[in-house]
Amino acid sequence: MLNLENILTNNNVKPTAMRLLVLQFLLNKKSATSLTDVENYFDKSDRTTIYRTLKTFVEKGISHKIDDGTGITKYALCEENCHCEIDNDLHLHFHCTNCNETICVTDYKIPKITLSRGYIAENINLVVKGICDTCNKN
Amino acid sequence: MLNLENILTNNNVKPTAMRLLVLQFLLNKKSATSLTDVENYFDKSDRTTIYRTLKTFVEKGISHKIDDGTGITKYALCEENCHCEIDNDLHLHFHCTNCNETICVTDYKIPKITLSRGYIAENINLVVKGICDTCNKN
DNA sequence: AAATTAATGCACTTCCGTTGCATACTTCAA
DNA sequence: TTGAAGTATGCAACGGAAGTGCATTAATTT
Ligand SMILES: [Mn+2]
Ligand SMILES: [Mn+2]
Ligand SMILES: [Zn+2]
Ligand SMILES: [Zn+2]
């Protein structure tokens, strides 16, 4: 049911070899992943293919894009029943300035924000920078 | 008291011609400004000089850097008594996806965020994307 | 099998931030 | 006032990352 292929097909993405490998990689990684991360992980890989793979994953709701303020776009798999595209269902992202990892804090839901009259909020991005628990121990 | 030169000298920045011009420009603009914005405004200008001018302004606490998620770094003058460098005194930024302007919502202070044990928050970035009031009228 | 569509790989471009280095301008002390 | 040291500027170039064009290959459909 929840095997790799099904994740793809359930989201209308054809399960090609590369897509399965990238998905596998994203599943194993607990933190957010950059295009270069994926590229480096595979010995023989083409940057463009991975780029388009990640892009497809985002478009089809398999993963979401994260702007953690480092200037490097990160990607992370969506949870089940995630509504990344739909407003106000987004979570906080934490970026550790020590180990440089970015993680999804999915249990921290972004609170509703009231703006001045006339402003319409469509999307909210909340990033906290600091030291993660792992780095904190050392 | 609050003329251009004093703003610079009060922050230990020597008031050179270019710096005064850039400061003037930032003062007149109500929205956040990119390096390219400043560059284009002046007929004859050097990108590097402006880059370093803006960098100096940030370092000396005259302006703050904004990452609005567009991938283009923006700058805006700090308010009086702004503690941008010191944690948790930051405000929300609004980016209009229609006119592409980013503004400081200085009266919206970012609330304190409680993270899991072990995590230390040093900096918080909150960006709301949507439609601004001006664009909303049209 | 032929034709159509989708995915991949390679080369190349663009954009932005950033740095190196040579020149010009200030400041200050001898 | 002259020279030296420090600071600011201008030009050129680099590097990383996102993104595009296009030819090739693989998968689907008829
Ligand atoms: Mn996330
Ligand atoms: Mn601001
Ligand atoms: Zn860490
Ligand atoms: Zn607008």
Side-chain angles (χ1 to χ4, degrees):
Chain A
M1 264 295 194
L2 283 169
N3 66 8
L4 293 176
E5 258 190 74
N6 283 342
I7 296 178
L8 295 181
T9 50
N10 288 346
N11 288 279
N12 299 313
V13 175
K14 287 186 194 163
T16 67
M18 201 61 221
R19 285 171 178 171
L20 288 165
L21 288 168
V22 172
L23 179 60
Q24 179 73 265
F25 180 62
L26 291 178
L27 269 169
N28 291 342
K29 268 203 84 181
K30 50 242 145 278
S31 53
T33 310
S34 71
L35 170 56
T36 307
D37 287 339
V38 185
E39 191 187 9
N40 290 339
Y41 177 75
F42 296 106
D43 288 341
K44 186 189 164 302
S45 67
D46 178 69
R47 188 173 182 85
T48 312
T49 303
I50 298 170
Y51 167 74
R52 288 195 269 236
T53 297
L54 294 171
K55 194 181 176 194
T56 302
F57 283 7
V58 171
E59 283 165 1
K60 297 306 177 70
I62 294 170
S63 42
H64 60 277
K65 224 173 170 174
I66 303 166
D67 170 19
D68 61 9
T70 59
I72 295 160
T73 306
K74 304 285 169 62
Y75 302 86
L77 289 180
C78 293
E79 298 187 293
E80 297 222 37
N81 295 343
C82 160
H83 301 125
C84 291
E85 291 311 292
I86 303 159
D87 304 344
N88 292 339
D89 194 7
L90 298 170
H91 50 263
L92 181 151
H93 291 115
F94 184 89
H95 176 74
C96 176
T97 52
N98 185 251
C99 64
N100 213 34
E101 301 270 301
T102 299
I103 58 167
C104 297
V105 185
T106 50
D107 54 339
Y108 188 101
K109 301 297 178 195
I110 296 177
K112 197 138 194 80
I113 290 175
T114 310
L115 298 167
S116 306
R117 174 180 301 278
Y119 285 83
I120 302 170
E122 289 173 346
N123 203 307
I124 302 175
N125 188 31
L126 177 58
V127 178
V128 178
K129 294 193 190 197
I131 306 295
C132 75
D133 60 343
T134 310
C135 289
N136 200 14
K137 283 171 194 156
N138 312 330
Chain B
M1 262 298 194
L2 283 170
N3 65 9
L4 293 175
E5 258 189 73
N6 283 343
I7 296 178
L8 294 182
T9 49
N10 288 347
N11 288 279
N12 299 312
V13 175
K14 287 186 194 164
T16 67
M18 201 63 221
R19 286 171 178 170
L20 288 166
L21 288 169
V22 172
L23 179 59
Q24 179 73 265
F25 180 63
L26 291 178
L27 270 170
N28 291 342
K29 269 203 83 180
K30 51 242 144 275
S31 54
T33 310
S34 71
L35 170 55
T36 307
D37 287 339
V38 184
E39 192 187 8
N40 290 339
Y41 178 75
F42 296 107
D43 287 342
K44 186 190 164 302
S45 68
D46 178 68
R47 187 174 182 82
T48 312
T49 303
I50 297 170
Y51 167 74
R52 287 196 269 236
T53 298
L54 294 171
K55 194 181 175 192
T56 303
F57 283 8
V58 171
E59 283 165 1
K60 297 306 177 71
I62 293 169
S63 41
H64 60 277
K65 223 172 173 176
I66 303 167
D67 170 20
D68 62 9
T70 59
I72 295 160
T73 306
K74 305 285 169 63
Y75 301 86
L77 289 180
C78 292
E79 300 187 292
E80 298 221 35
N81 295 342
C82 161
H83 301 126
C84 290
E85 290 310 292
I86 302 160
D87 303 344
N88 292 339
D89 194 8
L90 298 170
H91 50 265
L92 182 150
H93 291 114
F94 184 89
H95 176 74
C96 176
T97 52
N98 184 251
C99 64
N100 213 32
E101 301 269 302
T102 298
I103 59 168
C104 298
V105 184
T106 50
D107 55 339
Y108 187 101
K109 301 298 179 195
I110 295 177
K112 197 138 194 81
I113 290 175
T114 309
L115 298 167
S116 307
R117 173 179 301 277
Y119 286 82
I120 303 169
E122 289 173 347
N123 203 306
I124 302 176
N125 188 33
L126 177 57
V127 178
V128 178
K129 294 194 189 196
I131 306 296
C132 76
D133 59 343
T134 310
C135 290
N136 200 12
K137 283 170 195 156
N138 312 330

